Amino acid sequence: MDAKPTKTKFHFQISASSGVPIYRQIMDQIKIQIATQPWDPEQFLPSVRQIAEDLAINPMTVSKAYSLLEKEGVLEFDRGKGMRVKKISSSQKNFGERQKDVTPLLKEVIVKAHQLALKREDIFSLLEKLWREHPHEK
Amino acid sequence: MDAKPTKTKFHFQISASSGVPIYRQIMDQIKIQIATQPWDPEQFLPSVRQIAEDLAINPMTVSKAYSLLEKEGVLEFDRGKGMRVKKISSSQKNFGERQKDVTPLLKEVIVKAHQLALKREDIFSLLEKLWREHPHEK
DNA sequence: ATCTGTGTATTATTATTGTAATACACATGG
DNA sequence: CCATGTGTATTACAATAATAATACACAGAT
């Protein structure tokens, strides 16, 4: 192998004290980074050992995050190569199914809004604002 | 006490196999029922022993749900009487704080939308639709 | 005071979960 | 074939979480 360091777009900041399990922090950060950065379709994510070393944790913990994300359809595994971001899953599920997937989360929003005495317009404008601020490439 | 059965608006359907802890199922169902039904401000929720008997579980499990909801500001406890729905918390937190409370959930929505290749308009119209279908009293 | 109704603190037990150690299977390139 | 690169199955262990048993404190009515 040549000495050129793998140009790794992904990196991680783990909080041991947050109470959130490490593998889940990794999953969340990968999802967020996928959603907020442009990525090279050919680019592999850092290897489990790479991340494990960086974070001083066990490789199996990273592996758990990776395989769960693979099961979720977010990443795909190339034998002997590594993990990379799976090309968008829009083709795999039809519109109705994807709507159905996100519905529970939206219901949660409605219940929480009620709890906090926030009106529908309040939620909509906040969501609108967050979406504008959200880095989106394409 | 007279024989008139406490006209209990709340009731619960617990699934032992869902993987979700019982106390959390109770919490969620209380929140949903508060959000989707009109409630009498004077009305007490069923007692811990009542619910525990109905569901054939331990009263402490119900107590856990109740005290967590109290800590969240959803219920309030009257010594010797029982729990009831706390009058809306809008006065306790200002608008900005409540916005901040709901923000993480909305960010989750955005990330998930991206994952599912759903456009902003898709999410907005779905949320709009769910909100219309959502029973709301006042 | 006593009886019966609230919810709960404390403790114990059981089940589940998060992390880690080890060894392995497969792919690639020398 | 062997060295080195992927991720993972298996197993073990420690920590945490969920549930339950018991006993308690307070309120209201008798």
Side-chain angles (χ1 to χ4, degrees):
Chain A
M1 284 301 113
D2 62 1
K4 175 172 51 176
T6 309
K7 185 187 114 199
T8 288
K9 196 170 42 101
F10 291 86
H11 63 107
F12 305 94
Q13 181 58 46
I14 294 314
S15 158
S17 61
S18 76
V20 182
I22 300 173
Y23 78 93
R24 194 151 283 282
Q25 295 186 45
I26 295 174
M27 289 178 69
D28 292 346
Q29 293 188 27
I30 289 176
K31 284 184 188 177
I32 290 180
Q33 293 183 51
I34 289 176
T36 59
Q37 302 175 359
W39 75 88
D40 176 359
E42 303 305 310
Q43 173 78 43
F44 288 95
L45 276 77
S47 76
V48 291
R49 287 171 184 80
Q50 175 72 57
I51 297 180
E53 190 183 0
D54 291 353
L55 304 179
I57 58 176
N58 191 285
M60 281 309 298
T61 301
V62 183
S63 170
K64 182 169 188 174
Y66 273 11
S67 41
L68 286 176
L69 287 174
E70 190 189 17
K71 199 175 296 179
E72 284 187 13
V74 175
L75 301 182
E76 65 187 348
F77 176 42
D78 266 22
R79 281 219 160 278
K81 302 275 193 58
M83 302 294 271
R84 54 183 160 189
V85 178
K86 193 169 178 179
K87 286 175 207 61
I88 212 67
S89 55
S90 74
S91 50
Q92 310 186 16
K93 296 191 177 189
N94 64 36
F95 185 68
E97 283 174 314
R98 284 177 285 142
Q99 271 189 327
K100 206 173 153 192
D101 282 351
V102 79
T103 293
L105 195 52
L106 294 181
K107 285 189 175 169
E108 226 181 295
V109 169
I110 296 176
V111 167
K112 187 143 206 158
H114 177 92
Q115 256 183 286
L116 293 171
L118 289 169
K119 296 184 206 309
R120 188 169 39 155
E121 306 83 67
D122 299 332
I123 296 297
F124 273 73
S125 73
L126 179 54
L127 183 55
E128 178 91 44
K129 167 169 163 286
L130 291 172
W131 218 304
R132 271 198 310 273
E133 291 170 357
H134 191 79
H136 42 285
E137 70 284 1
K138 23 180 186 324
Chain B
M1 285 300 112
D2 60 2
K4 177 172 55 178
T6 310
K7 185 188 114 199
T8 288
K9 196 169 44 101
F10 291 86
H11 62 108
F12 305 94
Q13 181 58 46
I14 294 314
S15 158
S17 61
S18 77
V20 182
I22 299 173
Y23 78 93
R24 194 151 281 283
Q25 293 186 46
I26 294 174
M27 291 178 68
D28 291 346
Q29 294 188 26
I30 288 176
K31 285 185 187 175
I32 290 180
Q33 293 183 49
I34 289 176
T36 58
Q37 302 176 0
W39 76 88
D40 176 0
E42 302 306 312
Q43 172 79 43
F44 288 96
L45 277 75
S47 76
V48 292
R49 287 172 184 81
Q50 175 72 55
I51 297 180
E53 190 184 359
D54 290 355
L55 304 179
I57 58 175
N58 192 285
M60 281 308 298
T61 303
V62 183
S63 170
K64 182 169 187 175
Y66 273 11
S67 42
L68 286 175
L69 286 174
E70 189 189 17
K71 199 174 296 177
E72 284 186 14
V74 175
L75 301 181
E76 66 186 348
F77 176 42
D78 265 22
R79 281 221 160 277
K81 301 277 194 60
M83 304 295 271
R84 54 183 161 191
V85 178
K86 192 169 180 180
K87 285 176 207 59
I88 214 66
S89 55
S90 73
S91 50
Q92 313 187 13
K93 295 192 175 186
N94 65 34
F95 185 69
E97 283 173 315
R98 285 177 285 142
Q99 273 190 325
K100 207 173 154 194
D101 282 350
V102 78
T103 293
L105 195 52
L106 294 180
K107 285 189 175 168
E108 226 180 292
V109 170
I110 296 176
V111 168
K112 185 140 207 158
H114 177 94
Q115 255 182 288
L116 294 170
L118 288 170
K119 295 184 206 311
R120 188 171 38 156
E121 306 84 68
D122 299 332
I123 295 296
F124 272 71
S125 72
L126 179 53
L127 183 56
E128 178 91 44
K129 168 171 162 286
L130 291 172
W131 217 304
R132 271 198 310 271
E133 293 170 356
H134 192 78
H136 43 285
E137 67 285 3
K138 18 178 187 326

